[in-house]
């Protein structure tokens, strides 16, 4: 198992919680490399990808998980999707002038060039929504939370507390490249408290205490540790939970993957009303760029005209 681009599910034998650890490297860099975003927008996208991996690993599904953040801020849209096979892709929309204003709010103050603010500064107000699509004849599952919080971790934790009513610890980590050869890295750690089962073997006060301890240990994990290439997920989790009988239940790998194709794009164009197809044309050609992977598709009139 690789040390990065994986999700590791774990718990401890005291039955207090279920946990997930996600660490991403190549997947993030491949996705960011497909776009030419300013680093502030790349940072928001990278953190959103780590959050998507965490969210989707917690939900059981066969199909497609999509995270969508829509805002009135400098980064106005983030879309990330994760298939149940672990293929991830994503993109963002942003306003360069608004980003510049955030970096340089007045003449006296400008943030350092290597500094990146927490995601909510770039996002502003709006919503974070996710959907799970398991194909035709299944119900679309959807969750929404307002973008309220100082960090993206806080926003996401609120979702679990409000909508799922599960006590949750959720922390995202981000490392921007320090030089040209360096990579983006993003990671996330999530713990969810398990309900106690009416005082059978373990009293609920003991479980509460075990949960609180688990959170304190999780908070002790440092950014340098989570991004240390030489440490496996097992090494990291053992540092936190060796004293409470750590059990690693499963690991999953992620890869970049875009599902766009020439055929899919063409059938979308053909489904448009004739006047819209007309409006898309330039010199008898239609050019479409995939938002997710920036692949360019060019079609001749003979291909898209249906008559
Ligand atoms: Zn694509």
């Amino acid at each position: 198992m690789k040390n990065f681009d994986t999700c590791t599910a774990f718990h401890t034998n005291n039955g207090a919680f279920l946990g997930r650890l996600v660490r991403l490297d190549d997947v993030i860099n491949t996705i960011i490399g497909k776009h030419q975003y300013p680093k502030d927008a790349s940072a928001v996208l990278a953190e959103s990808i780590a959050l998507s991996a965490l969210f989707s690993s917690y939900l059981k599904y066969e199909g497609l998980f999509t995270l969508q953040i829509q805002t009135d801020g400098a980064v106005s849209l983030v879309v990330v999707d994760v298939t149940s096979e672990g293929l991830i892709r994503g993109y963002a929309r942003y306003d360069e002038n608004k980003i510049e204003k955030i970096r340089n709010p007045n003449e006296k103050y400008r943030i350092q060039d290597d500094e990146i603010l927490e995601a909510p500064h770039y996002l502003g107000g709006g919503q974070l929504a996710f959907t799970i699509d398991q194909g035709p004849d299944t119900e679309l599952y959807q969750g929404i939370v307002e973008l309220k919080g100082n960090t993206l971790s806080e926003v996401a934790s609120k979702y679990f507390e409000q909508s799922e009513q599960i006590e949750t610890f959720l922390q995202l980590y981000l490392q921007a490249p320090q030089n040209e050869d360096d990579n983006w890295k993003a990671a996330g750690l999530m713990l969810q408290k398990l309900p106690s089962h009416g005082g059978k073997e373990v009293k609920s006060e003991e479980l509460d205490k075990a949960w609180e301890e688990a959170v304190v240990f999780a908070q002790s994990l440092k950014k340098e540790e989570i991004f240390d290439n030489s440490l496996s997920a097992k090494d990291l989790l053992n540092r936190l939970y060796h004293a409470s009988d750590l059990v690693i239940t499963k690991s999953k790998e992620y890869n970049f993957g875009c599902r766009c194709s020439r055929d899919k794009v063409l059938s979308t164009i053909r489904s448009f009303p004739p006047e819209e197809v007309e409006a898309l044309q330039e010199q008898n050609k239609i050019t479409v760029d995939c938002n997710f992977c920036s692949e360019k598709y060019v079609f001749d009139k003979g291909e898209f005209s249906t008559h």
Side-chain angles (χ1 to χ4, degrees):
M1 193 41 100
K2 296 186 284 187
N3 282 354
F4 278 81
D5 300 315
T6 57
C7 174
T8 307
F10 62 96
H11 60 87
T12 57
N13 268 342
N14 59 30
F17 69 91
L18 293 177
R20 296 273 193 282
L21 172 68
V22 163
R23 298 161 91 198
L24 304 173
D25 183 344
D26 287 345
V27 169
I28 301 258
N29 286 284
T30 306
I31 294 170
I32 287 176
K34 298 277 175 199
H35 308 291
Q36 308 282 315
Y37 299 157
K39 63 174 179 295
D40 311 72
S42 296
V44 176
L45 179 59
E47 211 174 6
S48 304
I49 293 168
L51 178 60
S52 301
L54 268 186
F55 256 39
S56 62
S57 74
Y58 149 81
L59 299 153
K60 286 186 179 62
Y61 67 102
E62 287 296 324
L64 188 67
F65 167 95
T66 304
L67 177 124
Q68 188 162 335
I69 302 176
Q70 271 183 299
T71 83
D72 58 10
V75 177
S76 56
L77 179 70
V78 181
V79 183
V80 178
D81 66 32
V82 187
T83 69
S84 38
E85 288 78 39
L87 295 180
I88 307 184
R89 60 181 191 169
Y91 73 93
R93 294 242 162 84
Y94 61 91
D95 181 322
E96 207 140 14
N97 292 330
K98 285 187 181 173
I99 288 180
E100 188 51 32
K101 247 180 215 155
I102 290 166
R103 298 195 67 84
N104 192 8
N106 60 52
E107 280 173 27
K108 291 193 193 86
Y109 179 74
R110 180 182 166 84
I111 66 169
Q112 302 274 314
D113 279 346
D114 59 353
E115 198 180 344
I116 294 170
L117 300 171
E118 291 290 348
H121 288 280
Y122 303 108
L123 294 170
Q127 285 181 328
L128 183 156
F130 67 87
T131 52
I132 291 177
D133 186 349
Q134 305 200 84
D137 305 321
T138 59
E139 214 168 304
L140 199 70
Y141 181 81
Q142 188 173 39
I144 286 185
V145 66
E146 291 290 316
L147 285 174
K148 279 190 182 142
N150 296 318
T151 62
L152 199 56
S153 310
E154 260 181 47
V155 172
S157 304
K158 278 202 184 105
Y159 169 76
F160 284 102
E161 270 154 37
Q162 288 167 5
S163 305
E164 307 276 311
Q165 295 179 344
I166 301 171
E167 272 194 71
T168 302
F169 167 84
L170 191 155
Q171 183 63 51
L172 299 169
Y173 307 80
L174 179 68
Q175 187 169 286
Q178 302 302 303
N179 57 59
E180 274 183 24
D181 312 319
D182 219 1
N183 274 359
W184 284 91
K185 284 184 182 148
L189 177 64
M190 180 158 95
L191 306 182
Q192 295 190 300
K193 192 178 182 217
L194 288 172
S196 56
H197 299 287
K200 276 177 201 160
E201 286 155 32
V202 193
K203 289 198 189 97
S204 75
E205 304 93 78
E206 280 175 36
L207 279 179
D208 286 348
K209 195 166 161 275
W211 163 251
E212 279 160 28
E213 266 177 19
V215 170
V216 170
F217 287 134
Q219 284 165 337
S220 75
L221 185 64
K222 291 192 187 74
K223 191 172 146 181
E224 305 83 74
E225 292 176 285
I226 205 161
F227 291 131
D228 186 337
N229 281 318
S230 68
L231 295 173
S232 68
K234 197 177 168 191
D235 295 334
L236 282 174
L237 295 170
N238 259 322
R239 285 186 180 189
L240 303 179
Y241 300 114
H242 64 95
S244 7
D245 295 327
L246 172 72
V247 183
I248 288 179
T249 47
K250 60 179 179 189
S251 296
K252 175 184 173 129
E253 284 194 18
Y254 297 107
N255 288 291
F256 164 76
C258 193
R259 298 183 309 286
C260 68
S261 71
R262 208 178 155 76
D263 284 352
K264 277 191 204 168
V265 177
L266 186 57
S267 69
T268 308
I269 296 173
R270 282 179 174 163
S271 73
F272 290 159
E275 60 274 16
E276 273 184 44
V277 175
E278 188 65 38
L280 287 170
Q281 283 182 62
E282 256 175 63
Q283 292 167 341
N284 290 329
K285 286 184 196 299
I286 291 181
T287 305
V288 178
D289 295 327
C290 174
N291 286 331
F292 285 99
C293 70
S294 305
E295 179 78 37
K296 196 185 271 294
Y297 296 99
V298 183
F299 302 95
D300 292 323
K301 191 168 189 125
E303 291 176 275
F304 56 78
S305 72
T306 43
H307 44 82

